[in-house]
Structure formats: C-alpha cells, structure tokens
Amino acid sequence: MLSARALPHIVYGARGLATLAERPAPPASRALERLLGASRARLLTMLAEPASTTELAHRLDVTPAAVSQHLSVLREAHLLERTRHGRHVRYRHSPLGAALCEPHLGHGTDN
C-alpha cells in the first residue's frame, strides 16, 4: 500500500551474477592442454555454459584483451560460436568444440 508520507523511489534489479554461487572452472585434461595449450583448453572447457569476454576474464583473473585473443583463435578453429544480445556477446562451444571437450570434462589427470 502507498502512504501519503512515503517518498517515491525506484528499484532496479541486480546486474550480473553473484560470485558466491560461481562454480570453479572444470579442469582441462592434459590431452586437451597439449592440443590447445593450457589457457585455451581451460577457456574452452569453461564454455560449456555461455559467457561473455568480461565474465571469462573475471573468472580467470586475466584481462579481457587476453581472453579476447584466445576466443578469436578458438573461434577461427570453429570450436566456439558467438551470439550477440544487445551490446553483449556471449560465447559457447560449437558442436565441434563440445565434441572435443566431451571426453575430457572432469578428467583433469588424462595423459
């Protein structure tokens, strides 16, 4: 109910994701690391769920520029797809990237 004494105010929903609920990135397998390099393998395994460059940089504790370079290489190799939502671009596995990661997800000790 509104009161004659209540001051008007505007409420906005929270932006972004809460960091308390974030799951750590799954470890990349050694085989995937040897194929792509440790950084790109970890980045590719993180993209089982779509994410933006900024979100990935935050999760990896690196600069967005560094993530962007890796994303470009992975995209050129057809391992990623990108989707634009307004000003934001979100990346995720392509079918090829998902097939490459599938046998390796959760098996960080592969040879």
Side-chain angles (χ1 to χ4, degrees):
M1 293 185 64
L2 295 177
S3 164
R5 289 196 244 161
L7 297 174
H9 61 279
I10 299 174
V11 177
Y12 293 97
R15 291 180 46 193
L17 300 173
T19 57
L20 292 175
E22 284 184 2
R23 289 176 281 155
S29 73
R30 288 185 193 162
L32 199 56
E33 286 179 355
R34 286 193 305 256
L35 179 65
L36 300 173
S39 297
R40 289 187 183 132
R42 185 166 181 223
L43 186 59
L44 186 61
T45 57
M46 290 175 71
L47 289 170
E49 296 180 22
S52 70
T53 303
T54 305
E55 291 168 0
L56 293 166
H58 175 73
R59 289 175 63 189
L60 291 169
D61 198 27
V62 297
T63 65
V67 170
S68 182
Q69 287 178 340
H70 291 305
L71 290 173
S72 293
V73 171
L74 293 170
R75 188 167 174 267
E76 287 173 14
H78 304 284
L79 298 175
L80 299 180
E81 296 176 345
R82 68 179 180 185
T83 306
R84 180 170 290 280
H85 296 281
R87 298 181 325 190
H88 304 282
V89 176
R90 299 188 59 82
Y91 294 87
R92 65 183 174 106
H93 290 154
S94 67
L96 178 60
L100 185 62
C101 287
E102 183 65 29
H104 304 291
L105 285 175
H107 302 289
T109 59
D110 286 359
N111 290 325

